[in-house]
Amino acid sequence: MNHIALKMLMGDKGKYLGIVMGLTFASLIMTQQPAIFIGLMARSYSFISDVGLPDIWVMDPKVQFIDDIKPMQETELYRVRGITGVEWAMPLYKGLLKARLTDGAFQTCNVVGLDDTTLIGGPAVMLEGKLSDLRRSDAVIIDIDGASEKLAKPAATPDGKKTPLKVGDSLELNDRRAIVVGLAKVTRTFQSQPVIYTTYSRAKSYAPVERKMLSFVLVKAKPGQDKAELVKRIVAITGLEAYTQDDFKKLTYSYFLKNTGIPINFGITIALGFIVGTAIAGQTFYNFTLENLRQFGVLKAMGASNSTLLRMILLQAVVVGSIGYGLGVGIAALFGFLMRHSILAFKMPWQLLVFSGGGVGLICVMVALISIMKVIRLEPAIVFKS
Amino acid sequence: MNATPLAIRCRDIVKTYDTGGQVVTALNGVNLDINMGELMMLVGPSGCGKTTLISIIAGILDQTSGDCELFGENLLTLRSKDKLRFRAENIGFVFQAYNLLPALNAAENVSVPLIINGVKRGEAERRAAQMLEKVGLGERTMSLPAQLSGGQQQRVAIARALIHSPRLIVCDEPTSALDHESGQNVMNLLKAVALDQQRVLVIVTHDARIFNFADRIAEMDDGHIVNVAHSAAELK
Ligand SMILES: Nc1ncnc2c1ncn2[C@@H]1O[C@H](COP(=O)(O)OP(=O)(O)O)[C@@H](O)[C@H]1O
Ligand SMILES: [Mg+2]
């Protein structure tokens, strides 16, 4: 009976397309919106991913997420270095500083100071210059987006183009000269400020003088050292807080999950996609079943059992569901692909595909159930009604 | 079953419909015997209960009271699974509105009863094509219902009603939607191809032009059988 069910389904092209489109829409929304959501949430910790190398981040216990800087005394660095199981520990400065551009305008920048000798935590992708160029005097490396947007020189004419900041250009940080020696690609974060990389000691000289300057201690565990144990040891000995890289990411995005409206907004969109998709697909599928009710009645009169008809309807639902799901996910993926160079955040992990697949599956089951109930209650005697 | 040629035995059939408080008595004590190899017509004014009666005979509707035996089986007492199998094996249907599945071509439509009886698709469609040959539509096996005339569609429906060699064929107004010539063709076909000693045909109609095809004609009025005639001339 399967081929009969499929032919019935595709016999009415208009309805068939309507059902598939409803499901495509639902799975598109349920895939694309969470993908943007996940992409956005991943941005909250992309600085941690970019720094990459360290196993453990050590910080003031009050820190709630990566951009929540609570400076520590520099002596903490040496205390951490003394703990057994630590292969190396490096300082990291991270802070918002005002840069003065050549035209006199000010721009707040995210300044990152790296350990002077090792430069650990520097940008992974250099577009121009080398990371080691930071060792030259007054040297800074700037992220490409900042260099071509917020730090760019204003256009000479009102509707002319801005001139991007180039290697060799200079700017001022806290009245001190900074010379651009490289341009780097930095993963976008929630913070829209340009990122300026420099050495730890130079970053300190750019920053207003304070008693505490150390933002994070980056720690590499000795080979074979259990990281969770090392975290515990660091916390116990220093009284500071320490997280593995993954835990620090979790801490950061949970902060944004809890403290922003982002999840609710996306949740509403996803729920709407589910509801609208269910409504469209449900309506068209139900209509389709109603219109075919006489055909189901004929099959029933001829001795087809309820379970046979149930299987036919389920098959029809599974087919439209799979096609709609495939199209929806395909369009979402295409969308993500086309937007890959844009500012838009987009991430489609397999868990998301399971999620939206489950959503579409649920829609199909609900939609099919309504139709199945109608068909099961159907009296075969209707076949003689004209 | 013994040697009696009795195919259908109806005793005191009453059927009432409860339409939201209002009870309609469609059949009010119907008694009727139909023999094997017989073509029985049910005639009478609209609303007299003809469709209700063949629905009960064919086991797609349960009577309110009374007994109806089809080939010695009381369908009312069968378990629903056995009743379905009984219908699938023993009954062919022909409707006024043809009721072909519009998305299936002629051969696929005709094969449906075989498929329901568990015959494999390829084999079912092969036999369906042969049956279409018998009803004169050997050339149209691939045609969709919409591509066929009313008379041709009814012939496809007859092929579908015959394909699984059922013992009973019930037809509700099989010629009412057709012009005179197509109607006569359909009746000739039913009589020539469908009717034999192993089978019984019950045809509901109010189309007087086909009365002469009947072996007997049961006249109904107001939920009763008022007369059973052997020819149109005997009708009241
Ligand atoms: N499903 C139903 N619900 C309520 N009343 C019905 C139903 N089917 C038939 N009837 C009523 O039963 C009577 C007999 O109907 P029917 O058997 O269709 O007559 P016929 O086929 O002779 O025109 C009519 O009064 C009709 O209105
Ligand atoms: Mg009728």
Side-chain angles (χ1 to χ4, degrees), chain A residues 189-353:
Chain A
T189 68
F190 272 2
Q191 298 197 317
S192 56
Q193 296 91 356
V195 184
I196 298 181
Y197 285 95
T198 186
T199 60
Y200 183 76
S201 48
R202 205 172 300 128
K204 277 201 303 183
S205 71
Y206 290 148
V209 179
E210 280 184 52
R211 200 166 52 87
K212 298 173 170 182
M213 298 293 261
L214 181 62
S215 310
F216 297 101
V217 177
L218 308 179
V219 172
K220 185 82 189 165
K222 281 218 163 85
Q225 166 65 50
D226 183 85
K227 282 165 201 155
E229 247 167 49
L230 184 54
V231 163
K232 273 191 210 143
R233 203 175 307 144
I234 293 172
V235 171
I237 294 175
T238 61
L240 298 169
E241 190 55 271
Y243 299 102
T244 61
Q245 193 182 126
D246 279 345
D247 286 347
F248 194 29
K249 286 179 186 173
K250 261 181 223 150
L251 182 79
T252 296
Y253 74 65
S254 345
Y255 175 84
F256 282 95
L257 278 182
K258 273 192 224 117
N259 294 287
T260 66
I262 301 172
I264 299 171
N265 286 328
F266 276 94
I268 290 172
T269 313
I270 295 162
L272 273 181
F274 182 82
I275 292 166
V276 173
T278 310
I280 300 178
Q283 178 67 30
T284 39
F285 194 84
Y286 185 58
N287 262 344
F288 164 78
T289 308
L290 281 190
E291 262 175 39
N292 290 329
L293 216 50
R294 178 174 279 265
Q295 300 182 40
F296 284 118
V298 171
L299 295 176
K300 244 184 170 175
M302 293 195 299
S305 64
N306 276 335
S307 66
T308 302
L309 301 182
L310 181 147
R311 261 181 310 186
M312 288 175 73
I313 293 176
L314 270 185
L315 175 71
Q316 292 172 336
V318 165
V319 167
V320 286
S322 313
I323 296 173
Y325 173 67
L327 285 176
V329 166
I331 295 172
L334 184 68
F335 170 87
F337 178 74
L338 294 178
M339 293 288 176
R340 68 198 181 283
H341 296 309
S342 77
I343 185 165
L344 196 93
F346 194 89
K347 255 192 183 159
M348 234 166 86
W350 64 265
Q351 290 92 337
L352 172 54
L353 298 187

Side-chain angles (χ1 to χ4, degrees), chain A residues 384-386, chain B residues 46-52 54 96 172-173 204 206:
Chain A
F384 283 135
K385 295 264 142 54
S386 41
Chain B
S46 181
C48 70
K50 306 181 294 290
T51 298
T52 302
I54 54 162
Q96 175 175 358
D172 196 20
E173 311 274 7
V204 164
H206 60 253

Side-chain angles (χ1 to χ4, degrees), chain A residues 1 3-4 7-8 11 294-295 298-306 379-381 383-384 386, chain B residues 51 54-55 60-61 84 87-88 93 95 99 101-104 108 112 115-116 121 125 160 172:
Chain A
M1 300 297 278
H3 69 287
I4 296 176
K7 291 218 159 151
M8 274 172 84
R294 178 174 279 265
Q295 300 182 40
V298 171
L299 295 176
K300 244 184 170 175
M302 293 195 299
S305 64
N306 276 335
E379 285 290 339
V383 293
F384 283 135
S386 41
Chain B
T51 298
I54 54 162
S55 300
I60 56 174
L61 187 68
L84 279 178
R87 276 213 307 267
F93 292 91
F95 310 95
N99 282 338
L101 306 197
L104 303 188
E108 289 163 340
V112 168
I115 304 251
I116 290 175
R121 184 181 169 190
E125 284 176 19
R160 176 175 69 179
D172 196 20

Side-chain angles (χ1 to χ4, degrees), chain A residues 380, chain B residues 54-62 70 75 83 87 91:
Chain B
I54 54 162
S55 300
I56 291 170
I57 290 173
I60 56 174
L61 187 68
D62 291 341
L70 180 58
L75 296 190
K83 193 156 135 184
R87 276 213 307 267
I91 303 174

